[in-house]
Short mmCIF file of all heavy atoms in Angstrom, two decimals:
data_model
loop_
_atom_site.label_atom_id
_atom_site.label_comp_id
_atom_site.label_asym_id
_atom_site.label_seq_id
_atom_site.Cartn_x
_atom_site.Cartn_y
_atom_site.Cartn_z
N ASP A 117 4.38 -5.75 -7.48
CA ASP A 117 4.69 -4.38 -7.88
C ASP A 117 4.50 -3.40 -6.73
O ASP A 117 5.25 -2.43 -6.61
CB ASP A 117 3.82 -3.95 -9.06
CG ASP A 117 4.14 -4.72 -10.33
OD1 ASP A 117 5.20 -5.39 -10.38
OD2 ASP A 117 3.33 -4.67 -11.27
N ASN A 118 3.50 -3.66 -5.88
CA ASN A 118 3.23 -2.77 -4.75
C ASN A 118 4.09 -3.10 -3.53
O ASN A 118 3.98 -2.44 -2.51
CB ASN A 118 1.76 -2.83 -4.36
CG ASN A 118 0.87 -2.24 -5.42
OD1 ASN A 118 1.28 -1.36 -6.17
ND2 ASN A 118 -0.35 -2.72 -5.50
N GLY A 119 4.90 -4.14 -3.63
CA GLY A 119 5.76 -4.52 -2.51
C GLY A 119 4.99 -5.15 -1.36
O GLY A 119 5.41 -5.08 -0.21
N THR A 120 3.86 -5.76 -1.66
CA THR A 120 3.02 -6.35 -0.62
C THR A 120 3.58 -7.69 -0.17
O THR A 120 3.83 -8.57 -0.98
CB THR A 120 1.58 -6.56 -1.15
OG1 THR A 120 1.09 -5.32 -1.62
CG2 THR A 120 0.67 -7.08 -0.06
N SER A 121 3.78 -7.82 1.13
CA SER A 121 4.23 -9.08 1.70
C SER A 121 3.64 -9.21 3.09
O SER A 121 3.18 -8.23 3.68
CB SER A 121 5.76 -9.15 1.74
OG SER A 121 6.27 -8.12 2.55
N GLY A 122 3.62 -10.42 3.61
CA GLY A 122 3.07 -10.66 4.94
C GLY A 122 2.55 -12.08 5.04
O GLY A 122 2.80 -12.92 4.19
N THR A 123 1.79 -12.34 6.10
CA THR A 123 1.31 -13.69 6.38
C THR A 123 -0.20 -13.71 6.52
O THR A 123 -0.78 -12.84 7.14
CB THR A 123 1.95 -14.22 7.69
OG1 THR A 123 3.37 -14.19 7.54
CG2 THR A 123 1.50 -15.63 7.99
N VAL A 124 -0.80 -14.73 5.92
CA VAL A 124 -2.23 -14.99 6.08
C VAL A 124 -2.34 -16.27 6.90
O VAL A 124 -1.83 -17.31 6.50
CB VAL A 124 -2.93 -15.19 4.71
CG1 VAL A 124 -4.40 -15.54 4.91
CG2 VAL A 124 -2.79 -13.97 3.84
N HIS A 125 -2.97 -16.17 8.07
CA HIS A 125 -3.21 -17.35 8.89
C HIS A 125 -4.56 -17.93 8.50
O HIS A 125 -5.58 -17.27 8.68
CB HIS A 125 -3.19 -17.00 10.38
CG HIS A 125 -1.83 -16.65 10.88
ND1 HIS A 125 -1.31 -15.38 10.79
CD2 HIS A 125 -0.87 -17.42 11.44
CE1 HIS A 125 -0.09 -15.37 11.29
NE2 HIS A 125 0.20 -16.59 11.68
N VAL A 126 -4.54 -19.13 7.94
CA VAL A 126 -5.76 -19.77 7.47
C VAL A 126 -6.21 -20.79 8.50
O VAL A 126 -5.47 -21.71 8.86
CB VAL A 126 -5.55 -20.46 6.10
CG1 VAL A 126 -6.84 -21.10 5.62
CG2 VAL A 126 -5.03 -19.46 5.08
N SER A 127 -7.43 -20.61 8.98
CA SER A 127 -8.05 -21.55 9.90
C SER A 127 -9.04 -22.39 9.10
O SER A 127 -9.80 -21.86 8.29
CB SER A 127 -8.78 -20.79 11.02
OG SER A 127 -9.51 -21.70 11.82
N PHE A 128 -9.00 -23.71 9.31
CA PHE A 128 -9.90 -24.60 8.57
C PHE A 128 -10.12 -25.87 9.38
O PHE A 128 -9.43 -26.13 10.37
CB PHE A 128 -9.34 -24.93 7.18
CG PHE A 128 -7.99 -25.60 7.21
CD1 PHE A 128 -7.88 -26.98 7.10
CD2 PHE A 128 -6.83 -24.86 7.34
CE1 PHE A 128 -6.64 -27.60 7.13
CE2 PHE A 128 -5.59 -25.46 7.37
CZ PHE A 128 -5.49 -26.84 7.27
N VAL A 129 -11.09 -26.63 8.95
CA VAL A 129 -11.40 -27.89 9.62
C VAL A 129 -11.10 -29.03 8.64
O VAL A 129 -11.47 -28.96 7.47
CB VAL A 129 -12.89 -27.93 10.05
CG1 VAL A 129 -13.27 -29.31 10.59
CG2 VAL A 129 -13.17 -26.84 11.08
N VAL A 130 -10.44 -30.06 9.16
CA VAL A 130 -10.29 -31.31 8.41
C VAL A 130 -11.32 -32.24 9.04
O VAL A 130 -11.24 -32.57 10.23
CB VAL A 130 -8.87 -31.90 8.53
CG1 VAL A 130 -8.79 -33.26 7.83
CG2 VAL A 130 -7.84 -30.93 7.97
N ASP A 131 -12.33 -32.62 8.24
CA ASP A 131 -13.40 -33.45 8.82
C ASP A 131 -12.95 -34.90 8.98
O ASP A 131 -11.81 -35.25 8.63
CB ASP A 131 -14.70 -33.31 8.02
CG ASP A 131 -14.69 -33.98 6.66
OD1 ASP A 131 -13.75 -34.75 6.34
OD2 ASP A 131 -15.64 -33.74 5.89
N GLU A 132 -13.85 -35.74 9.49
CA GLU A 132 -13.49 -37.14 9.78
C GLU A 132 -13.21 -37.96 8.52
O GLU A 132 -12.69 -39.06 8.59
CB GLU A 132 -14.56 -37.82 10.64
CG GLU A 132 -15.96 -37.83 10.04
CD GLU A 132 -16.77 -36.59 10.37
OE1 GLU A 132 -17.24 -36.45 11.49
OE2 GLU A 132 -16.94 -35.76 9.44
N HIS A 133 -13.52 -37.40 7.35
CA HIS A 133 -13.23 -38.06 6.07
C HIS A 133 -11.95 -37.51 5.43
O HIS A 133 -11.50 -38.04 4.42
CB HIS A 133 -14.40 -37.89 5.10
CG HIS A 133 -15.70 -38.35 5.67
ND1 HIS A 133 -15.99 -39.68 5.93
CD2 HIS A 133 -16.78 -37.64 6.07
CE1 HIS A 133 -17.20 -39.77 6.46
NE2 HIS A 133 -17.70 -38.55 6.55
N GLY A 134 -11.40 -36.45 6.00
CA GLY A 134 -10.17 -35.85 5.48
C GLY A 134 -10.39 -34.66 4.57
O GLY A 134 -9.44 -34.09 4.03
N LYS A 135 -11.65 -34.23 4.42
CA LYS A 135 -11.96 -33.09 3.56
C LYS A 135 -11.71 -31.78 4.32
O LYS A 135 -12.05 -31.64 5.48
CB LYS A 135 -13.41 -33.15 3.11
CG LYS A 135 -13.82 -32.01 2.19
CD LYS A 135 -15.15 -32.28 1.53
CE LYS A 135 -15.64 -31.14 0.69
NZ LYS A 135 -14.71 -30.59 -0.26
N VAL A 136 -11.09 -30.82 3.60
CA VAL A 136 -10.87 -29.48 4.17
C VAL A 136 -12.17 -28.71 4.01
O VAL A 136 -12.69 -28.58 2.89
CB VAL A 136 -9.72 -28.75 3.46
CG1 VAL A 136 -9.64 -27.30 3.89
CG2 VAL A 136 -8.40 -29.47 3.72
N ILE A 137 -12.72 -28.21 5.13
CA ILE A 137 -13.95 -27.43 5.07
C ILE A 137 -13.78 -26.10 5.79
O ILE A 137 -12.98 -25.97 6.71
CB ILE A 137 -15.16 -28.23 5.67
CG1 ILE A 137 -14.88 -28.67 7.10
CG2 ILE A 137 -15.50 -29.43 4.81
CD1 ILE A 137 -16.06 -29.33 7.79
N ASN A 138 -14.53 -25.14 5.32
CA ASN A 138 -14.64 -23.82 5.94
C ASN A 138 -13.30 -23.09 6.17
O ASN A 138 -13.06 -22.61 7.28
CB ASN A 138 -15.42 -23.94 7.26
CG ASN A 138 -15.96 -22.62 7.72
OD1 ASN A 138 -16.17 -21.71 6.93
ND2 ASN A 138 -16.18 -22.49 9.01
N PRO A 139 -12.45 -22.99 5.14
CA PRO A 139 -11.22 -22.21 5.36
C PRO A 139 -11.55 -20.72 5.51
O PRO A 139 -12.40 -20.19 4.79
CB PRO A 139 -10.40 -22.47 4.10
CG PRO A 139 -11.39 -22.86 3.06
CD PRO A 139 -12.54 -23.50 3.78
N GLN A 140 -10.90 -20.09 6.47
CA GLN A 140 -11.12 -18.66 6.74
C GLN A 140 -9.78 -18.00 7.02
O GLN A 140 -8.92 -18.59 7.67
CB GLN A 140 -12.03 -18.47 7.95
CG GLN A 140 -13.41 -19.02 7.77
CD GLN A 140 -14.24 -18.88 9.05
OE1 GLN A 140 -13.73 -18.63 10.14
NE2 GLN A 140 -15.55 -19.03 8.91
N ALA A 141 -9.63 -16.77 6.56
CA ALA A 141 -8.43 -15.99 6.86
C ALA A 141 -8.62 -15.34 8.22
O ALA A 141 -9.58 -14.60 8.43
CB ALA A 141 -8.20 -14.94 5.80
N MET A 142 -7.73 -15.64 9.13
CA MET A 142 -7.81 -15.07 10.47
C MET A 142 -7.30 -13.63 10.48
O MET A 142 -7.64 -12.86 11.35
CB MET A 142 -7.00 -15.91 11.47
CG MET A 142 -7.43 -17.37 11.51
SD MET A 142 -9.21 -17.59 11.75
CE MET A 142 -9.43 -16.93 13.37
N ASP A 143 -6.48 -13.32 9.54
CA ASP A 143 -5.93 -11.98 9.39
C ASP A 143 -5.53 -11.84 7.92
O ASP A 143 -5.95 -12.62 7.10
CB ASP A 143 -4.73 -11.75 10.31
CG ASP A 143 -3.65 -12.81 10.12
OD1 ASP A 143 -3.73 -13.61 9.16
OD2 ASP A 143 -2.70 -12.84 10.92
N GLY A 144 -4.73 -10.88 7.61
CA GLY A 144 -4.25 -10.76 6.24
C GLY A 144 -5.03 -9.78 5.39
O GLY A 144 -4.66 -9.55 4.24
N LYS A 145 -6.11 -9.20 5.93
CA LYS A 145 -6.88 -8.24 5.12
C LYS A 145 -6.01 -7.06 4.69
O LYS A 145 -6.24 -6.48 3.64
CB LYS A 145 -8.11 -7.74 5.88
CG LYS A 145 -9.20 -8.79 5.95
CD LYS A 145 -9.71 -9.16 4.58
CE LYS A 145 -10.82 -10.17 4.66
NZ LYS A 145 -11.25 -10.65 3.37
N ILE A 146 -4.99 -6.74 5.48
CA ILE A 146 -4.11 -5.64 5.09
C ILE A 146 -3.29 -5.99 3.86
O ILE A 146 -2.77 -5.12 3.19
CB ILE A 146 -3.17 -5.21 6.25
CG1 ILE A 146 -2.33 -6.39 6.72
CG2 ILE A 146 -3.93 -4.60 7.39
CD1 ILE A 146 -1.24 -6.02 7.70
N LEU A 147 -3.19 -7.29 3.56
CA LEU A 147 -2.46 -7.71 2.36
C LEU A 147 -3.30 -7.53 1.11
O LEU A 147 -2.78 -7.57 0.01
CB LEU A 147 -2.03 -9.18 2.47
CG LEU A 147 -1.09 -9.50 3.63
CD1 LEU A 147 -0.78 -10.98 3.63
CD2 LEU A 147 0.18 -8.69 3.55
N GLY A 148 -4.59 -7.39 1.29
CA GLY A 148 -5.48 -7.19 0.15
C GLY A 148 -6.27 -8.43 -0.19
O GLY A 148 -5.87 -9.57 0.10
N ASP A 149 -7.40 -8.21 -0.81
CA ASP A 149 -8.32 -9.29 -1.14
C ASP A 149 -7.74 -10.30 -2.13
O ASP A 149 -8.06 -11.48 -2.06
CB ASP A 149 -9.63 -8.72 -1.69
CG ASP A 149 -10.44 -8.01 -0.61
OD1 ASP A 149 -10.23 -8.31 0.58
OD2 ASP A 149 -11.27 -7.16 -0.96
N ASP A 150 -6.88 -9.83 -3.05
CA ASP A 150 -6.32 -10.76 -4.04
C ASP A 150 -5.57 -11.90 -3.37
O ASP A 150 -5.81 -13.07 -3.66
CB ASP A 150 -5.36 -10.03 -5.00
CG ASP A 150 -6.07 -9.26 -6.08
OD1 ASP A 150 -7.29 -9.44 -6.23
OD2 ASP A 150 -5.40 -8.48 -6.79
N LEU A 151 -4.65 -11.55 -2.49
CA LEU A 151 -3.85 -12.59 -1.81
C LEU A 151 -4.73 -13.47 -0.92
O LEU A 151 -4.60 -14.69 -0.95
CB LEU A 151 -2.74 -11.95 -0.97
CG LEU A 151 -1.59 -11.33 -1.72
CD1 LEU A 151 -0.62 -10.65 -0.77
CD2 LEU A 151 -0.85 -12.36 -2.54
N VAL A 152 -5.61 -12.86 -0.16
CA VAL A 152 -6.45 -13.62 0.76
C VAL A 152 -7.39 -14.55 0.00
O VAL A 152 -7.48 -15.74 0.30
CB VAL A 152 -7.25 -12.67 1.69
CG1 VAL A 152 -8.28 -13.43 2.50
CG2 VAL A 152 -6.30 -11.91 2.61
#
Side-chain angles (χ1 to χ4, degrees):
D117 293 346
N118 292 332
T120 304
S121 61
T123 302
V124 177
H125 290 86
V126 181
S127 173
F128 59 98
V129 173
V130 175
D131 72 11
E132 58 273 285
H133 305 292
K135 181 167 176 50
V136 171
I137 56 174
N138 199 25
Q140 297 176 344
M142 303 309 295
D143 55 9
K145 286 298 182 186
I146 58 171
L147 299 179
D149 290 338
D150 281 350
L151 288 176
V152 171

